[in-house]
Amino acid sequence: MTSIAQRAMGNRVVSFVYEKAWRPIFTRGFSLGGSGTADYDHALRAYLARPGDRRVLDVACGPGNYSDDAASGLTGDGRYVGIDFSPAMLDQAVRDHRADRVTFVRGDAHHLPFADNTFDTVLCLAALYLIPDPLPVLDEMARVCAPGGEIIVFASAKASIAALPGGSALAGLVGLRLFDLDELSDRMRLLGLEHLEQTVTGVGQYVHARTPRAAS
């Protein structure tokens, strides 16, 4: 049975308003009305836009929120690939974000249709808390990430008011998972990821880690 949140992500009206209306409001909500999440998001977009010959995978890309930023600085054989399970989101992504280096693919985040060690940067931003059984998605992200590559996740965090009694139950009713503060980082360490950085903004968290470099 799909949750309320999952049904919303598959709705064509939601996919149409998501990038310009829904997402900015939701982002501010993660900071409990403040600007912390929006400020980090702005810095992240600038980081993704830096020049380089990179292969970027955006897991649960939605309507392509980050495709323009991630593709803008790509050089050489660099390419951005966005994957999502929702046809409505992908249709909107294709309409709004046409570029030579951008490709959108329909697929399941639990079974990414890519070979091991394919991408230099693997993203999952504002989506992991909507995905049933989300931790194996991190396993898949690590599998397709090349040695020395980076994994960047933005997800919920069971902090502040989210940790109050009933907070997780209420979120669960609509299909949102609240992650413990060490849940994602512990999984990443088990996967062998290194140089892990975690930034908590209200009831959200950014986690940035790298895969070990190949032995020389």
Side-chain angles (χ1 to χ4, degrees), residues 31 42 59 63 94-95 164 172 186-188:
S31 296
H42 181 75
V59 177
V94 170
R95 282 194 292 270
L164 292 175
D186 282 353
R187 185 70 166 221
M188 290 182 176

Side-chain angles (χ1 to χ4, degrees), residues 1-210:
M1 180 177 174
T2 58
S3 67
I4 294 172
Q6 287 175 292
R7 289 196 295 273
M9 294 302 104
N11 184 282
R12 293 193 178 278
V13 174
V14 172
S15 67
F16 179 73
V17 303
Y18 183 87
E19 190 167 0
K20 295 180 175 60
W22 179 305
R23 182 67 183 276
I25 295 171
F26 210 51
T27 298
R28 185 164 291 274
F30 270 105
S31 296
L32 307 177
S35 63
T37 305
D39 292 342
Y40 196 105
D41 184 75
H42 181 75
L44 175 60
R45 289 176 183 274
Y47 175 74
L48 293 175
R50 70 196 188 282
D53 184 353
R54 293 184 302 278
R55 297 154 297 169
V56 180
L57 176 65
D58 190 354
V59 177
C61 65
N65 296 330
Y66 292 90
S67 62
D68 292 346
D69 302 289
S72 63
L74 295 180
T75 59
D77 295 325
R79 189 154 199 90
Y80 166 96
V81 178
I83 184 169
D84 203 281
F85 193 70
S86 166
M89 287 291 183
L90 291 173
D91 287 347
Q92 193 66 42
V94 170
R95 282 194 292 270
D96 290 348
H97 303 285
R98 295 179 180 273
D100 290 340
R101 296 180 182 269
V102 172
T103 301
F104 294 104
V105 177
R106 185 167 187 254
D108 182 353
H110 293 96
H111 306 284
L112 295 173
F114 308 106
D116 297 357
N117 309 324
T118 299
F119 296 94
D120 305 294
T121 298
V122 184
L123 313 169
C124 186
L125 304 172
L128 198 62
Y129 47 76
L130 296 171
I131 300 174
D133 194 19
L135 295 183
V137 174
L138 292 179
D139 303 356
E140 278 289 274
M141 292 172 66
R143 178 185 67 78
V144 302
C145 191
E150 61 185 349
I151 291 176
I152 305 174
V153 172
F154 173 63
S156 57
K158 196 181 292 183
S160 187
I161 62 169
L164 292 175
S168 294
L170 180 60
L173 286 175
V174 296
L176 300 176
R177 175 163 174 159
L178 297 177
F179 292 99
D180 292 330
L181 287 178
D182 57 356
E183 192 171 358
L184 300 180
S185 55
D186 282 353
R187 185 70 166 221
M188 290 182 176
R189 290 188 181 97
L190 284 174
L191 292 168
L193 302 185
E194 304 173 337
H195 308 296
L196 193 145
E197 299 177 3
Q198 181 186 42
T199 302
V200 178
T201 59
V203 292
Q205 61 176 315
Y206 288 90
V207 188
H208 187 175
R210 288 192 173 273

